[in-house]
Amino acid sequence: MAKRLPPLNPLRAFEAAARHASLTKAAGELNVTHGAVSHQIKALEQSLGVKLFERTGQRVKLTPHGAEFLPAVSAAFDGIAAATQRMTRPASAGALSVSCVPALLLLWMTPRLGSFTAQYPDIQLTLIPSNDPKDIRAADIDVCVHYGDGSWSDCWIRKWSGLELFPVVSPTLINNRPIRSVRDLADHVFLHGDDGREWHTWLAAADALDLERGRRHRLGDARMATEAAVHGHGVALGDSVTARALLARGMLVAPFSLSVPAVDDFYVVCRNEMRSAPIVQLFIDWLFAEKEQDEGRAGAPVAGRVPSRRKRPSLKVIAARTAS
């Protein structure tokens, strides 16, 4: 087997040069000279009997042979890096950086931090409120809990939860200005966490698209809209994951039994090489265990809300929910 493998250093030079499309940048990464990288690539080409790069000035471009060879070399180095991380990173100690949808982070994850700390007291979390897809590839972020359609490519991904949308309002506001039917919403301020499409979808399902809406506030995201509803500033669209605790504690009331499915879902996502890291596995397992506990309690009535009945909207949602 050893006789069939090229030397390691030329392989490293090839992979770095291909990734950067530059011998100079590859040399900087590997802390060697430009000439050393060039020499190693020539040695690899001679060993394989094929040309791997076309050189154009300061840039290099993969030949068809090089393009065919690169995925296998990259996968091998990724595997070595992941195995090294597994061996050197303690399973239940260290630092873990998590990017999470702001509403989910504030209203669902933060209240459960005590549970995580009790189980893993030696893991230090860095929690970043974000739903930016760029976080998935960021080197300083280990795992993401994001809202979307699950179409992120070249990464490990698993659906964590779907969600239903329904109006929520503070008990004080609804006591002062009752909501007995959908038509009563016309007397209230509509709080938007997106561009208005979510409310359009719910009103379509309620056969109330003709409802005359007056005052409305457009907030930055679902978290801000929910907070505004808690403070009595209007009626927002809550969801079955982040608003549940607020309903149970009586901070919000759901005046209607109608809920509509959100167009997207919550997913746990991370780079492929991070999925096998023990500390990441522990966090992901904890996330799903906590969600299972929530689902186990889902049959209990939620204060301030009559039992929900699902109804598919008559108008398909045309854009993803901003569930941050």
Side-chain angles (χ1 to χ4, degrees):
M1 176 65 72
K3 292 181 180 179
R4 291 160 48 194
L5 294 177
L8 179 60
N9 283 339
L11 286 176
R12 291 181 65 201
F14 164 71
E15 191 275 338
R19 182 159 31 85
H20 291 294
S22 167
L23 300 186
T24 301
K25 291 182 179 179
E29 177 182 314
L30 300 175
N31 199 27
V32 297
T33 65
H34 179 285
V37 172
S38 179
H39 175 76
Q40 289 171 359
I41 291 174
K42 287 180 180 178
L44 181 60
E45 289 176 330
Q46 291 175 357
S47 172
L48 297 174
V50 297
K51 194 172 184 179
L52 299 173
F53 288 107
E54 297 286 351
R55 293 162 177 79
T56 55
Q58 298 296 319
R59 307 289 291 178
V60 291
K61 179 181 178 182
L62 287 169
T63 64
H65 287 299
E68 180 182 359
F69 193 42
L70 179 61
V73 175
S74 297
F77 281 121
D78 286 345
I80 293 170
T84 302
Q85 188 169 45
R86 289 195 300 269
M87 293 177 63
T88 59
R89 193 173 190 180
S92 59
L96 185 71
S97 178
V98 180
S99 168
C100 183
V101 178
L104 187 66
L105 177 58
L106 176 68
L107 300 172
W108 188 91
M109 191 178 296
T110 301
R112 290 166 172 77
L113 283 182
S115 164
F116 184 84
T117 302
Q119 294 181 57
Y120 308 110
D122 296 323
I123 294 180
Q124 177 184 336
L125 291 175
T126 297
L127 301 177
I128 302 162
S130 173
N131 197 46
D132 189 341
K134 293 179 182 177
D135 294 348
I136 298 171
R137 317 243 179 255
D140 58 344
I141 294 177
D142 298 316
V143 61
C144 300
V145 188
H146 281 187
Y147 180 83
D149 60 7
S151 63
W152 304 290
S153 60
D154 193 27
C155 59
W156 182 88
I157 180 171
R158 180 180 172 189
K159 179 179 173 180
W160 182 72
S161 177
L163 62 162
E164 301 273 329
L165 309 178
F166 47 84
V168 291
V169 62
S170 76
T172 300
L173 183 59
I174 201 172
N175 286 335
N176 292 333
R177 196 176 302 160
I179 301 177
R180 298 185 179 91
S181 72
V182 174
R183 296 293 158 184
D184 291 331
L185 288 174
D187 297 327
H188 288 265
V189 177
F190 280 73
L191 302 172
H192 295 275
D194 66 347
D195 59 2
R197 298 179 206 183
E198 288 181 347
W199 265 115
H200 184 94
T201 302
W202 189 88
L203 290 170
D207 298 322
L209 281 178
D210 61 339
L211 181 70
E212 188 173 331
R213 286 177 279 171
R215 296 165 297 164
R216 63 189 72 187
H217 293 314
R218 299 190 185 278
L219 296 102
D221 52 38
R223 169 184 55 92
M224 294 178 64
T226 302
E227 283 291 306
V230 168
H231 289 287
H233 299 313
V235 185
L237 276 181
D239 69 67
S240 52
V241 176
T242 65
R244 181 174 178 81
L246 298 174
L247 291 165
R249 283 149 48 194
M251 298 175 69
L252 288 174
V253 172
F256 305 108
S257 61
L258 173 65
S259 63
V260 296
V263 65
D264 286 337
D265 302 300
F266 289 126
Y267 289 89
V268 182
V269 196
C270 66
R271 302 189 305 280
N272 290 317
E273 65 269 23
M274 291 306 302
R275 177 62 183 97
S276 57
I279 197 170
V280 171
Q281 291 184 31
L282 289 178
F283 182 77
I284 292 174
D285 290 345
W286 174 81
L287 278 175
F288 280 93
E290 289 290 319
K291 186 65 176 64
E292 286 179 7
Q293 289 186 22
D294 280 1
E295 292 171 350
R297 294 189 290 265
V302 177
R305 187 181 184 203
V306 297
S308 176
R309 61 183 176 87
R310 287 185 169 183
K311 180 178 179 181
R312 289 279 168 180
S314 57
L315 181 66
K316 185 178 180 181
V317 181
I318 59 175
R321 178 177 195 237
T322 306
S324 51

